[in-house]
Amino acid sequence: MDKNMKPATVAAHAAGTGDPQSGGVVPSLQPSTTFTRDDDYKLHRTDNIYSRDDSDNVRQAEEVLRCLEGAEETRLFPSGMAAIAAVFRTLPNNGTAIVQSGIYWGTTAWTRDFCARREIALIEVDADDLVAACKAKSADLVFVETPSNPWLKTVDIQAVKAATKGTVVVDGTAATPILTRALDHGADIAMHSATKGINGHSDVLAGVLSTRQADATIWGTIKADRKMAGAVLGPFEAWLLIRAMRTLPLRVERMSQNAQTLAEALLVHPNVEDVFYPGLPHHPGHVVAAQQMRGGYGCLMSVLVKGGRTEALAVVGKLKLFLRATSLGGVESLVEHRHTIEPHTGIPENLIRVSVGIEHIDDLIADWLYALD
């Protein structure tokens, strides 16, 4: 498609994807793991040999994401953590990684273990101190998550990139490429758990990496490792992802609008201590978020109710529309008492993580007002 097409158009048309054989406007599903050769042992298609690295459905989904991200190349993985692991496996033994603290706990736990096994110096730094840390310490890799989960901290990507010579990788899961194109702000690699907002229907596990520079050495290493290690997405999951992404801009727009309205309503409630959401003017990262996020501030927020664990669990227990489940970015609204799940991470006992869906905002607000009474 024309590179000047807007994201909504790219997504609706799945970046021009269809089924040339039947003329269908929807791509066909091709589950084959291997592909035939003719009598002279020539491949019928030179780009299809074996599905570990050859899949029309995966390539089609990657093209949609590449266009939305404004990237040179994109690669899908079977989960967000698989994508993160692919990046960190490029680090040399005795290398150095600067990783933002207070991010998704799965990332933190895995990187700590991996870096310890590989004798890689791991420097964990709060979002507010990342730029200073990058200036003070030479690093091979800088890993950022913005907005962060569950603290909703924002990071100035451009400032981080200017402060380091290392590869800057940005986890933009909470924003999706609809709200933040990290590569436009200087990131070398944009990462997402496509399981979340990109898919948005809580039925696909996937991760994605996109690069600003396809000929970069690190990108070549990532691609080779994905192929040989077999960290690939299946064709059915890729097909579902394509279908889901056709409504991605609409979903993100609705969820962002709902989240903004709900955050404003909860902030003034007498039984709420605070709301962490980058769309609120009092949020410490609001100015940076306003510069980096376009069209809204995403679906994710954290609500601190007045009291402690007992009060927070009481609210969570009374909510009806907000389902009690882990994850974010789906069309259905979710809540999670994070301290119950991750008591070792310093999460306040009165914090409730909220993923706002596409339901009618009046119903969502009414659900919270009932639960807070």
Side-chain angles (χ1 to χ4, degrees):
M1 297 188 73
D2 188 326
K3 66 180 181 179
N4 295 317
M5 291 287 184
K6 299 296 188 292
T9 305
V10 172
H13 287 265
T17 294
D19 182 18
Q21 185 172 355
S22 68
V25 298
V26 176
S28 60
L29 175 61
Q30 176 48 265
S32 183
T33 58
T34 191
F35 303 89
T36 61
R37 298 171 181 266
D38 63 18
D39 294 345
D40 296 323
Y41 215 70
K42 293 180 180 179
L43 287 164
H44 287 284
R45 273 181 51 183
T46 58
D47 58 344
N48 278 347
I49 300 175
Y50 187 68
S51 67
R52 189 170 60 200
D53 204 43
D54 301 325
S55 167
D56 283 352
N57 294 116
V58 172
R59 283 190 287 253
Q60 289 162 349
E62 288 172 344
E63 178 61 12
V64 178
L65 285 162
R66 187 196 69 78
C67 292
L68 294 177
E69 199 76 73
E72 283 200 3
E73 282 190 0
T74 292
R75 289 294 183 271
L76 279 163
F77 294 80
S79 70
M81 285 307 305
I84 291 172
V87 170
F88 276 82
R89 283 200 294 268
T90 66
L91 285 168
N93 289 345
N94 301 310
T96 299
I98 295 176
V99 176
Q100 181 182 337
S101 60
I103 58 176
Y104 169 57
W105 173 245
T107 302
T108 300
W110 185 87
T111 53
R112 285 177 180 175
D113 178 69
F114 176 80
C115 290
R117 285 187 282 110
R118 288 278 299 273
E119 298 183 343
I120 294 167
L122 175 61
I123 303 171
E124 296 184 44
V125 184
D126 184 80
D128 297 335
D129 302 320
L130 272 171
V131 172
C134 289
K135 289 180 179 178
K137 185 70 175 181
S138 177
D140 301 288
L141 177 71
V142 180
F143 189 88
V144 170
E145 182 184 270
T146 184
S148 69
N149 170 18
W151 297 96
L152 278 303
K153 292 192 174 184
T154 56
V155 175
D156 187 331
I157 301 169
Q158 189 171 5
V160 169
K161 180 58 182 176
T164 182
K165 293 182 179 179
T167 300
V168 175
V169 182
V170 175
D171 180 346
T173 297
T176 80
I178 301 302
L179 299 180
T180 300
R181 300 207 317 184
L183 304 180
D184 291 349
H185 297 280
D188 297 292
I189 295 175
M191 174 268 161
H192 298 271
S193 171
T195 309
K196 312 302 193 298
I198 288 176
N199 177 62
H201 291 78
S202 303
D203 56 9
V204 170
L205 197 66
V208 61
L209 297 175
S210 297
T211 184
R212 185 161 51 93
Q213 188 177 351
D215 61 356
T217 300
I218 186 174
W219 187 249
T221 302
I222 288 170
K223 290 194 295 183
D225 184 74
R226 186 189 78 151
K227 177 180 179 180
M228 299 311 295
V232 296
L233 190 68
F236 181 59
E237 288 77 11
W239 186 86
L240 284 175
L241 197 60
I242 294 169
R243 183 174 68 167
M245 287 190 294
R246 297 179 85 147
T247 60
L248 175 59
L250 286 173
R251 290 187 282 106
V252 170
E253 179 182 4
R254 178 61 172 267
M255 288 188 289
S256 295
Q257 291 172 349
N258 279 352
Q260 182 73 39
T261 304
L262 180 64
E264 292 171 355
L266 294 179
L267 185 62
V268 298
H269 194 282
N271 291 331
V272 171
E273 179 183 311
D274 201 357
V275 178
F276 298 162
Y277 185 66
L280 296 174
H282 85 294
H283 187 277
H286 175 69
V287 173
V288 171
Q291 295 169 348
Q292 290 183 170
M293 303 181 79
R294 57 183 184 185
Y297 297 93
C299 70
L300 187 65
M301 71 176 71
S302 288
V303 180
L304 279 70
V305 300
K306 288 185 178 177
R309 176 186 179 86
T310 300
E311 288 75 14
L313 286 174
V315 171
V316 170
K318 290 177 67 177
L319 288 165
K320 303 300 182 185
L321 288 178
F322 287 78
L323 306 177
R324 292 171 289 278
T326 294
S327 201
L328 61 98
V331 293
E332 65 286 318
S333 293
L334 304 177
V335 291
E336 186 171 61
H337 184 244
R338 295 300 292 174
H339 191 272
T340 296
I341 306 301
E342 300 171 357
H344 51 285
T345 61
I347 297 294
E349 293 192 48
N350 65 333
L351 185 146
I352 301 171
R353 194 188 72 175
V354 183
S355 175
V356 183
I358 64 169
E359 303 94 338
H360 196 285
I361 186 57
D362 291 350
D363 295 329
L364 297 180
I365 291 176
D367 197 29
W368 268 91
L369 292 179
Y370 167 77
L372 286 167
D373 285 341

